[in-house]
PDB file of all heavy atoms in Angstrom:
ATOM      1  N   ILE A 132      52.060  88.268 147.453  1.00  0.00           N
ATOM      2  CA  ILE A 132      53.083  89.141 146.891  1.00  0.00           C
ATOM      3  C   ILE A 132      52.640  89.452 145.468  1.00  0.00           C
ATOM      4  O   ILE A 132      52.265  88.555 144.717  1.00  0.00           O
ATOM      5  CB  ILE A 132      54.468  88.456 146.875  1.00  0.00           C
ATOM      6  CG1 ILE A 132      54.946  88.225 148.306  1.00  0.00           C
ATOM      7  CG2 ILE A 132      55.467  89.294 146.095  1.00  0.00           C
ATOM      8  CD1 ILE A 132      56.245  87.456 148.398  1.00  0.00           C
ATOM      9  N   LEU A 133      52.682  90.721 145.119  1.00  0.00           N
ATOM     10  CA  LEU A 133      52.333  91.153 143.773  1.00  0.00           C
ATOM     11  C   LEU A 133      53.177  92.373 143.439  1.00  0.00           C
ATOM     12  O   LEU A 133      53.959  92.834 144.274  1.00  0.00           O
ATOM     13  CB  LEU A 133      50.844  91.453 143.651  1.00  0.00           C
ATOM     14  CG  LEU A 133      50.273  92.668 144.362  1.00  0.00           C
ATOM     15  CD1 LEU A 133      48.897  92.981 143.783  1.00  0.00           C
ATOM     16  CD2 LEU A 133      50.140  92.434 145.847  1.00  0.00           C
ATOM     17  N   THR A 134      53.037  92.886 142.239  1.00  0.00           N
ATOM     18  CA  THR A 134      53.789  94.082 141.862  1.00  0.00           C
ATOM     19  C   THR A 134      52.851  95.276 141.789  1.00  0.00           C
ATOM     20  O   THR A 134      51.623  95.124 141.794  1.00  0.00           O
ATOM     21  CB  THR A 134      54.483  93.918 140.490  1.00  0.00           C
ATOM     22  OG1 THR A 134      53.491  93.897 139.465  1.00  0.00           O
ATOM     23  CG2 THR A 134      55.343  92.668 140.448  1.00  0.00           C
ATOM     24  N   ALA A 135      53.443  96.446 141.684  1.00  0.00           N
ATOM     25  CA  ALA A 135      52.655  97.677 141.586  1.00  0.00           C
ATOM     26  C   ALA A 135      51.745  97.651 140.355  1.00  0.00           C
ATOM     27  O   ALA A 135      50.589  98.095 140.420  1.00  0.00           O
ATOM     28  CB  ALA A 135      53.578  98.891 141.554  1.00  0.00           C
ATOM     29  N   LEU A 136      52.230  97.128 139.232  1.00  0.00           N
ATOM     30  CA  LEU A 136      51.384  97.051 138.037  1.00  0.00           C
ATOM     31  C   LEU A 136      50.221  96.089 138.235  1.00  0.00           C
ATOM     32  O   LEU A 136      49.112  96.361 137.788  1.00  0.00           O
ATOM     33  CB  LEU A 136      52.202  96.614 136.817  1.00  0.00           C
ATOM     34  CG  LEU A 136      53.043  97.685 136.151  1.00  0.00           C
ATOM     35  CD1 LEU A 136      53.813  97.092 134.968  1.00  0.00           C
ATOM     36  CD2 LEU A 136      52.209  98.861 135.694  1.00  0.00           C
ATOM     37  N   CYS A 137      50.479  94.980 138.891  1.00  0.00           N
ATOM     38  CA  CYS A 137      49.378  94.049 139.204  1.00  0.00           C
ATOM     39  C   CYS A 137      48.353  94.738 140.099  1.00  0.00           C
ATOM     40  O   CYS A 137      47.150  94.627 139.873  1.00  0.00           O
ATOM     41  CB  CYS A 137      49.919  92.797 139.889  1.00  0.00           C
ATOM     42  SG  CYS A 137      50.963  91.767 138.845  1.00  0.00           S
ATOM     43  N   LEU A 138      48.843  95.442 141.102  1.00  0.00           N
ATOM     44  CA  LEU A 138      47.948  96.158 142.009  1.00  0.00           C
ATOM     45  C   LEU A 138      47.108  97.186 141.255  1.00  0.00           C
ATOM     46  O   LEU A 138      45.915  97.345 141.528  1.00  0.00           O
ATOM     47  CB  LEU A 138      48.751  96.844 143.116  1.00  0.00           C
ATOM     48  CG  LEU A 138      47.957  97.671 144.107  1.00  0.00           C
ATOM     49  CD1 LEU A 138      47.027  96.785 144.921  1.00  0.00           C
ATOM     50  CD2 LEU A 138      48.892  98.454 145.014  1.00  0.00           C
ATOM     51  N   ALA A 139      47.710  97.871 140.298  1.00  0.00           N
ATOM     52  CA  ALA A 139      46.990  98.904 139.536  1.00  0.00           C
ATOM     53  C   ALA A 139      45.765  98.328 138.829  1.00  0.00           C
ATOM     54  O   ALA A 139      44.777  99.033 138.637  1.00  0.00           O
ATOM     55  CB  ALA A 139      47.932  99.559 138.529  1.00  0.00           C
ATOM     56  N   GLN A 140      45.807  97.045 138.473  1.00  0.00           N
ATOM     57  CA  GLN A 140      44.654  96.406 137.823  1.00  0.00           C
ATOM     58  C   GLN A 140      43.463  96.295 138.753  1.00  0.00           C
ATOM     59  O   GLN A 140      42.327  96.147 138.299  1.00  0.00           O
ATOM     60  CB  GLN A 140      45.011  94.991 137.366  1.00  0.00           C
ATOM     61  CG  GLN A 140      46.060  94.884 136.326  1.00  0.00           C
ATOM     62  CD  GLN A 140      46.388  93.421 136.066  1.00  0.00           C
ATOM     63  OE1 GLN A 140      45.509  92.563 136.039  1.00  0.00           O
ATOM     64  NE2 GLN A 140      47.658  93.117 135.882  1.00  0.00           N
ATOM     65  N   THR A 141      43.716  96.325 140.060  1.00  0.00           N
ATOM     66  CA  THR A 141      42.643  96.058 141.023  1.00  0.00           C
ATOM     67  C   THR A 141      42.432  97.203 142.011  1.00  0.00           C
ATOM     68  O   THR A 141      41.859  96.979 143.076  1.00  0.00           O
ATOM     69  CB  THR A 141      42.959  94.770 141.808  1.00  0.00           C
ATOM     70  OG1 THR A 141      44.192  94.941 142.495  1.00  0.00           O
ATOM     71  CG2 THR A 141      43.016  93.566 140.905  1.00  0.00           C
ATOM     72  N   LEU A 142      42.866  98.392 141.670  1.00  0.00           N
ATOM     73  CA  LEU A 142      42.729  99.518 142.604  1.00  0.00           C
ATOM     74  C   LEU A 142      41.282  99.751 143.023  1.00  0.00           C
ATOM     75  O   LEU A 142      41.025 100.208 144.124  1.00  0.00           O
ATOM     76  CB  LEU A 142      43.316 100.798 142.005  1.00  0.00           C
ATOM     77  CG  LEU A 142      44.835 100.889 142.028  1.00  0.00           C
ATOM     78  CD1 LEU A 142      45.294 102.185 141.368  1.00  0.00           C
ATOM     79  CD2 LEU A 142      45.370 100.785 143.440  1.00  0.00           C
ATOM     80  N   HIS A 143      40.346  99.412 142.168  1.00  0.00           N
ATOM     81  CA  HIS A 143      38.923  99.587 142.484  1.00  0.00           C
ATOM     82  C   HIS A 143      38.444  98.614 143.570  1.00  0.00           C
ATOM     83  O   HIS A 143      37.361  98.778 144.109  1.00  0.00           O
ATOM     84  CB  HIS A 143      38.085  99.400 141.220  1.00  0.00           C
ATOM     85  CG  HIS A 143      38.200  98.025 140.643  1.00  0.00           C
ATOM     86  ND1 HIS A 143      39.301  97.626 139.904  1.00  0.00           N
ATOM     87  CD2 HIS A 143      37.385  96.949 140.720  1.00  0.00           C
ATOM     88  CE1 HIS A 143      39.146  96.370 139.549  1.00  0.00           C
ATOM     89  NE2 HIS A 143      37.984  95.934 140.026  1.00  0.00           N
ATOM     90  N   ALA A 144      39.259  97.602 143.890  1.00  0.00           N
ATOM     91  CA  ALA A 144      38.806  96.562 144.818  1.00  0.00           C
ATOM     92  C   ALA A 144      39.792  96.320 145.951  1.00  0.00           C
ATOM     93  O   ALA A 144      39.922  95.204 146.415  1.00  0.00           O
ATOM     94  CB  ALA A 144      38.580  95.270 144.036  1.00  0.00           C
ATOM     95  N   VAL A 145      40.481  97.372 146.405  1.00  0.00           N
ATOM     96  CA  VAL A 145      41.480  97.161 147.461  1.00  0.00           C
ATOM     97  C   VAL A 145      40.978  97.564 148.848  1.00  0.00           C
ATOM     98  O   VAL A 145      41.742  97.488 149.806  1.00  0.00           O
ATOM     99  CB  VAL A 145      42.820  97.879 147.152  1.00  0.00           C
ATOM    100  CG1 VAL A 145      43.478  97.286 145.935  1.00  0.00           C
ATOM    101  CG2 VAL A 145      42.626  99.374 147.015  1.00  0.00           C
ATOM    102  N   ASP A 146      39.712  97.940 148.961  1.00  0.00           N
ATOM    103  CA  ASP A 146      39.175  98.224 150.291  1.00  0.00           C
ATOM    104  C   ASP A 146      39.315  96.967 151.141  1.00  0.00           C
ATOM    105  O   ASP A 146      38.952  95.874 150.714  1.00  0.00           O
ATOM    106  CB  ASP A 146      37.703  98.634 150.221  1.00  0.00           C
ATOM    107  CG  ASP A 146      37.516 100.048 149.702  1.00  0.00           C
ATOM    108  OD1 ASP A 146      38.501 100.812 149.687  1.00  0.00           O
ATOM    109  OD2 ASP A 146      36.386 100.372 149.300  1.00  0.00           O
ATOM    110  N   GLY A 147      39.839  97.137 152.330  1.00  0.00           N
ATOM    111  CA  GLY A 147      40.024  96.007 153.220  1.00  0.00           C
ATOM    112  C   GLY A 147      41.362  95.310 153.052  1.00  0.00           C
ATOM    113  O   GLY A 147      41.639  94.327 153.732  1.00  0.00           O
ATOM    114  N   VAL A 148      42.202  95.808 152.139  1.00  0.00           N
ATOM    115  CA  VAL A 148      43.523  95.222 151.909  1.00  0.00           C
ATOM    116  C   VAL A 148      44.589  96.257 152.236  1.00  0.00           C
ATOM    117  O   VAL A 148      44.520  97.397 151.789  1.00  0.00           O
ATOM    118  CB  VAL A 148      43.700  94.756 150.442  1.00  0.00           C
ATOM    119  CG1 VAL A 148      45.120  94.243 150.192  1.00  0.00           C
ATOM    120  CG2 VAL A 148      42.668  93.697 150.097  1.00  0.00           C
ATOM    121  N   GLU A 149      45.534  95.853 153.034  1.00  0.00           N
ATOM    122  CA  GLU A 149      46.688  96.693 153.341  1.00  0.00           C
ATOM    123  C   GLU A 149      47.801  96.311 152.370  1.00  0.00           C
ATOM    124  O   GLU A 149      48.151  95.135 152.250  1.00  0.00           O
ATOM    125  CB  GLU A 149      47.134  96.452 154.780  1.00  0.00           C
ATOM    126  CG  GLU A 149      48.214  97.364 155.261  1.00  0.00           C
ATOM    127  CD  GLU A 149      47.685  98.754 155.616  1.00  0.00           C
ATOM    128  OE1 GLU A 149      46.496  98.889 155.950  1.00  0.00           O
ATOM    129  OE2 GLU A 149      48.492  99.690 155.569  1.00  0.00           O
ATOM    130  N   VAL A 150      48.332  97.294 151.661  1.00  0.00           N
ATOM    131  CA  VAL A 150      49.429  97.055 150.728  1.00  0.00           C
ATOM    132  C   VAL A 150      50.673  97.693 151.318  1.00  0.00           C
ATOM    133  O   VAL A 150      50.678  98.879 151.658  1.00  0.00           O
ATOM    134  CB  VAL A 150      49.122  97.637 149.333  1.00  0.00           C
ATOM    135  CG1 VAL A 150      50.302  97.416 148.391  1.00  0.00           C
ATOM    136  CG2 VAL A 150      47.856  97.015 148.757  1.00  0.00           C
ATOM    137  N   LEU A 151      51.712  96.886 151.460  1.00  0.00           N
ATOM    138  CA  LEU A 151      52.930  97.321 152.133  1.00  0.00           C
ATOM    139  C   LEU A 151      54.145  97.128 151.247  1.00  0.00           C
ATOM    140  O   LEU A 151      54.170  96.241 150.387  1.00  0.00           O
ATOM    141  CB  LEU A 151      53.116  96.513 153.422  1.00  0.00           C
ATOM    142  CG  LEU A 151      51.936  96.519 154.381  1.00  0.00           C
ATOM    143  CD1 LEU A 151      52.037  95.377 155.370  1.00  0.00           C
ATOM    144  CD2 LEU A 151      51.858  97.855 155.092  1.00  0.00           C
ATOM    145  N   GLU A 152      55.135  97.935 151.496  1.00  0.00           N
ATOM    146  CA  GLU A 152      56.422  97.790 150.822  1.00  0.00           C
ATOM    147  C   GLU A 152      57.010  96.429 151.196  1.00  0.00           C
ATOM    148  O   GLU A 152      56.861  95.970 152.322  1.00  0.00           O
ATOM    149  CB  GLU A 152      57.316  98.931 151.312  1.00  0.00           C
ATOM    150  CG  GLU A 152      58.670  98.981 150.709  1.00  0.00           C
ATOM    151  CD  GLU A 152      59.449 100.159 151.267  1.00  0.00           C
ATOM    152  OE1 GLU A 152      59.788 100.135 152.471  1.00  0.00           O
ATOM    153  OE2 GLU A 152      59.708 101.079 150.504  1.00  0.00           O
ATOM    154  N   LEU A 153      57.680  95.797 150.282  1.00  0.00           N
ATOM    155  CA  LEU A 153      58.273  94.490 150.546  1.00  0.00           C
ATOM    156  C   LEU A 153      59.800  94.607 150.508  1.00  0.00           C
ATOM    157  O   LEU A 153      60.364  95.003 149.496  1.00  0.00           O
ATOM    158  CB  LEU A 153      57.813  93.473 149.501  1.00  0.00           C
ATOM    159  CG  LEU A 153      58.313  92.054 149.678  1.00  0.00           C
ATOM    160  CD1 LEU A 153      57.749  91.438 150.965  1.00  0.00           C
ATOM    161  CD2 LEU A 153      57.924  91.199 148.492  1.00  0.00           C
ATOM    162  N   GLY A 154      60.424  94.297 151.640  1.00  0.00           N
ATOM    163  CA  GLY A 154      61.877  94.273 151.689  1.00  0.00           C
ATOM    164  C   GLY A 154      62.543  95.590 151.363  1.00  0.00           C
ATOM    165  O   GLY A 154      63.546  95.613 150.656  1.00  0.00           O
ATOM    166  N   GLY A 155      61.985  96.688 151.832  1.00  0.00           N
ATOM    167  CA  GLY A 155      62.591  97.990 151.579  1.00  0.00           C
ATOM    168  C   GLY A 155      62.597  98.379 150.109  1.00  0.00           C
ATOM    169  O   GLY A 155      63.432  99.162 149.667  1.00  0.00           O
ATOM    170  N   SER A 156      61.693  97.817 149.347  1.00  0.00           N
ATOM    171  CA  SER A 156      61.548  98.090 147.907  1.00  0.00           C
ATOM    172  C   SER A 156      62.747  97.648 147.076  1.00  0.00           C
ATOM    173  O   SER A 156      62.925  98.097 145.960  1.00  0.00           O
ATOM    174  CB  SER A 156      61.264  99.574 147.642  1.00  0.00           C
ATOM    175  OG  SER A 156      59.896  99.813 147.715  1.00  0.00           O
ATOM    176  N   ARG A 157      63.560  96.758 147.625  1.00  0.00           N
ATOM    177  CA  ARG A 157      64.707  96.324 146.825  1.00  0.00           C
ATOM    178  C   ARG A 157      64.336  95.234 145.830  1.00  0.00           C
ATOM    179  O   ARG A 157      65.101  94.928 144.934  1.00  0.00           O
ATOM    180  CB  ARG A 157      65.847  95.877 147.730  1.00  0.00           C
ATOM    181  CG  ARG A 157      65.625  94.614 148.481  1.00  0.00           C
ATOM    182  CD  ARG A 157      66.852  94.253 149.325  1.00  0.00           C
ATOM    183  NE  ARG A 157      66.711  92.952 149.910  1.00  0.00           N
ATOM    184  CZ  ARG A 157      66.252  92.714 151.128  1.00  0.00           C
ATOM    185  NH1 ARG A 157      65.871  93.714 151.889  1.00  0.00           N
ATOM    186  NH2 ARG A 157      66.159  91.488 151.578  1.00  0.00           N
ATOM    187  N   HIS A 158      63.155  94.636 145.977  1.00  0.00           N
ATOM    188  CA  HIS A 158      62.712  93.587 145.067  1.00  0.00           C
ATOM    189  C   HIS A 158      61.779  94.184 144.013  1.00  0.00           C
ATOM    190  O   HIS A 158      60.801  94.843 144.348  1.00  0.00           O
ATOM    191  CB  HIS A 158      61.978  92.490 145.828  1.00  0.00           C
ATOM    192  CG  HIS A 158      62.786  91.930 146.961  1.00  0.00           C
ATOM    193  ND1 HIS A 158      63.876  91.128 146.759  1.00  0.00           N
ATOM    194  CD2 HIS A 158      62.668  92.087 148.292  1.00  0.00           C
ATOM    195  CE1 HIS A 158      64.390  90.796 147.918  1.00  0.00           C
ATOM    196  NE2 HIS A 158      63.681  91.367 148.872  1.00  0.00           N
TER     197      HIS A 158
END
Side-chain angles (χ1 to χ4, degrees):
I132 294 175
L133 70 164
T134 70
L136 281 179
C137 293
L138 178 65
Q140 296 175 39
T141 60
L142 283 178
H143 63 282
V145 295
D146 285 344
V148 176
E149 186 77 26
V150 178
L151 306 162
E152 182 180 68
L153 182 65
S156 273
R157 70 179 188 265
H158 306 288

